[in-house]
Structure formats: structure tokens, C-alpha cells
Amino acid sequence: MGFGGRSLLFCAAVLAGAAVAGPLRPFAEAALTNHQPQRILVLGGDADRERMGLHLARRMNLPLVVSGGTNPEYAQSLVRDAGLTQDRVRLDYRAKDTLGNFTSLVDELQRDGVHHLLLVTSEDHLPRAMAVGGIIAGSRGIRLTGVPVSCRPQCRDESLSKRVGDGLRAAAWVITGRDFKPWARRHWPQLFSAQ
């Protein structure tokens, strides 16, 4: 075996070691988990998402968390209409954006022993939500399974740059425990003027 082959083999061994015993271990656990879904997470912003989450919670007999959803009075009305009790549904209004949907809840989910989460959001938001959530939830060993909710005809394609930017924010949060968007907004406001 030549030098290039040994180098490749060495790199593969280092990555495998990191996945098994190092910082990538939770991501490997999340990817390989065989747990059935244990909770449903609805990313707020649309009553149709909440209705889908409530439908799934009733059908699958799973607890539901709605992060940043419709106003509390309307959300509680949806819960009653779905025939669920308030103790099976948690309304959480701490998040201000997609990153916050995950960072505000992930440690609690891990403490509760959640290994697999159904993620409900609009079909146009799902790719970015899965990227952000895959990084944040994956860092805690939690697998996500996406459940798209139709948004037609109001769907808005999200740009690749928004997905990559939020993915980088998520990675920075996993490494540092901080969201750098407020800092970046202060230092480079021109980057945010188009949003």
C-alpha cells in the first residue's frame, strides 16, 4: 500500500474513532438510532403546521411541543378542537427563529430521554429546518424525521445561502453555546438589510 493509501486509511480511522468515541459520537447515535418517534415538534409560524402536529399527536399518541406557534388563545382552541388535553401539548414561545426553535428545547428533550423526534413544518421550510435541527439535535443524539406540511400556493423557496448561513449558526452554537447572529448584525448590518 502506497503513502496515499495509508494516508486515506489513517484519515478514515481517525473519522471512525471520532464518530465512535469523540465529538461526533452523538451524531452517529442519532443517525443510527432505532427508537420509534417519542415526541412531535411543530415549528410555529402557521396554523396548518399546528393542525398537522395535533393530528399526528392524537393518531400516534405522542406528546407534542409547539415552538413559536400561533397566539396562545388560538393554539389552545386548536388543542381543544383536536380533542387533546393541555397536559399532552406544550406551547413554547421562547424561539424567535428556526435556530431558536431547537436551541431553546434541545437540552430539555435530551434530559427527557428523547432519541427520535418528528419535525413538523411547511414543505418550503423543511430543508433548512432539517439542516439546522440535524446539527443541533444531532449534537445531543436526537434523530429527526421531517413531516412536510403543504404550503401551496404560498410556498416561498428558501435560498441556499440562507440554509448554509443557518447551518453555520447551528454549528457555531453547538461548539460555543452562543448564537452569533446578533453580533454579526451589529458588525455587518448590510448583510441583513435584504432580509
Side-chain angles (χ1 to χ4, degrees), residues 12-51:
V14 168
L15 284 175
V20 172
L24 298 179
R25 183 179 183 166
F27 294 99
E29 290 173 356
L32 300 173
T33 188
N34 60 358
H35 285 88
Q36 292 298 311
Q38 297 161 285
R39 197 158 299 172
I40 299 166
L41 173 61
V42 174
L43 303 188
D46 176 304
D48 288 339
R49 297 177 191 178
E50 292 178 39
R51 285 187 197 95

Side-chain angles (χ1 to χ4, degrees), residues 40-190:
I40 299 166
L41 173 61
V42 174
L43 303 188
D46 176 304
D48 288 339
R49 297 177 191 178
E50 292 178 39
R51 285 187 197 95
M52 172 64 83
L54 289 162
H55 170 76
L56 289 170
R58 189 179 63 240
R59 193 182 85 206
M60 299 176 76
N61 195 30
L62 290 174
L64 172 70
V65 178
V66 179
S67 177
T70 58
N71 72 65
E73 296 78 21
Y74 184 70
Q76 290 166 359
S77 169
L78 290 174
V79 170
R80 281 191 302 277
D81 291 348
L84 294 174
T85 58
Q86 296 291 335
D87 64 327
R88 296 218 10 235
V89 179
R90 177 174 169 206
L91 304 175
D92 189 293
Y93 294 97
R94 293 176 288 174
K96 303 295 181 222
D97 60 11
T98 302
L99 183 79
N101 289 134
F102 295 101
T103 60
S104 63
L105 293 167
V106 71
D107 290 328
E108 294 168 22
L109 294 169
Q110 183 184 31
R111 268 193 308 275
D112 289 348
V114 174
H115 297 282
H116 189 177
L117 192 63
L118 291 181
L119 176 64
V120 178
T121 192
S122 301
E123 61 186 313
D124 56 352
H125 182 235
L126 189 60
R128 182 165 57 94
M130 289 294 290
V132 171
I135 293 168
I136 293 172
S139 76
R140 303 305 195 265
I142 301 171
R143 175 181 168 193
L144 298 180
T145 299
V147 179
V149 176
S150 177
C151 56
R152 310 234 178 255
Q154 295 95 282
C155 291
R156 293 185 313 247
D157 287 333
E158 294 187 336
S159 69
L160 178 62
S161 64
K162 186 168 180 121
R163 229 179 290 164
V164 169
D166 274 8
L168 291 172
R169 282 177 64 206
W173 184 87
V174 168
I175 294 166
T176 68
R178 295 183 57 204
D179 179 11
F180 287 97
K181 186 175 183 178
W183 177 84
R185 191 181 293 271
R186 280 192 309 276
H187 287 82
W188 299 297
Q190 67 277 13

